[in-house]
Amino acid sequence: MTTTPAPTSDAAIQSAVAAALLAVPGVDATHVGVSVRGGAVTLSGEVDGYPEKVVAERTALGVHGVTAVAEEITLSSPWGVRADGDVARLAGDALRAADDVPPSVTVTVNEGSLVLRGTVDLERQRAAAQRTVADLPGVREVLDLVHVHVHPATAPPSPRP
């Protein structure tokens, strides 16, 4: 069995990231630029939506030799620029309509950046809230500050001193 050596030079890392982006579904790698300096990758270009931006970033972070990722990708939007009030109404309506997101989750919007806050009982509820708003028109990024409450009855026991 042969193994491929890990990329060590910036040029090798750049090639590996570019190849990884080409291989991952959901990213149009022809629109994403990759530069590397000292193992730190900068992604640039323009993609169609926030989910594509997230997948590109996660893909780059998964390449061996990458020490950090600066994500400078902009979003193109077939809807044009949306007013924050419109995005906030869409996000609020979507969260209220989602069966798997409790009403304790709230959203604020600033220049297309959404911040989710609140407390939920289950990790899947937190993930559902993020999924619910990520693809909405006008969303540029989502910061998830939702806290998953651990109930004392289900929490692991504390170690004894």
Side-chain angles (χ1 to χ4, degrees):
M1 178 171 126
T2 61
T3 59
T4 306
T8 54
S9 71
D10 286 347
I13 293 170
Q14 182 179 12
S15 293
V17 170
L21 290 171
L22 282 170
V24 70
V27 174
D28 183 352
T30 61
H31 294 151
V32 179
V34 179
S35 63
V36 182
R37 184 168 180 183
V41 173
T42 300
L43 299 175
S44 60
E46 185 176 80
V47 297
D48 289 334
Y50 174 72
E52 186 175 1
K53 187 175 170 177
V54 170
V55 170
E57 181 180 340
R58 288 182 183 161
T59 299
L61 282 169
V63 173
H64 189 75
V66 172
T67 58
V69 173
E71 182 270 296
E72 298 177 357
I73 297 172
T74 59
L75 300 179
S76 62
S77 175
W79 306 285
V81 176
R82 291 268 179 150
D84 284 345
D86 294 337
V87 176
R89 274 188 294 285
L90 286 171
D93 290 348
L95 289 170
R96 279 191 302 279
D99 292 334
D100 48 356
V101 178
S104 59
V105 176
T106 61
V107 63
T108 57
V109 181
N110 183 14
E111 296 181 6
S113 296
L114 277 65
V115 179
L116 295 172
R117 290 185 175 87
T119 302
V120 296
D121 292 328
L122 303 168
E123 170 60 26
R124 68 179 165 81
Q125 293 171 318
R126 185 206 57 75
Q130 186 170 20
R131 274 192 319 274
T132 298
V133 299
D135 289 330
L136 295 175
V139 173
R140 301 183 62 74
E141 66 180 335
V142 179
L143 177 60
D144 183 354
L145 300 179
V146 175
H147 175 72
V148 179
H149 177 72
V150 177
H151 297 281
T154 60
S158 300
R160 292 185 180 232

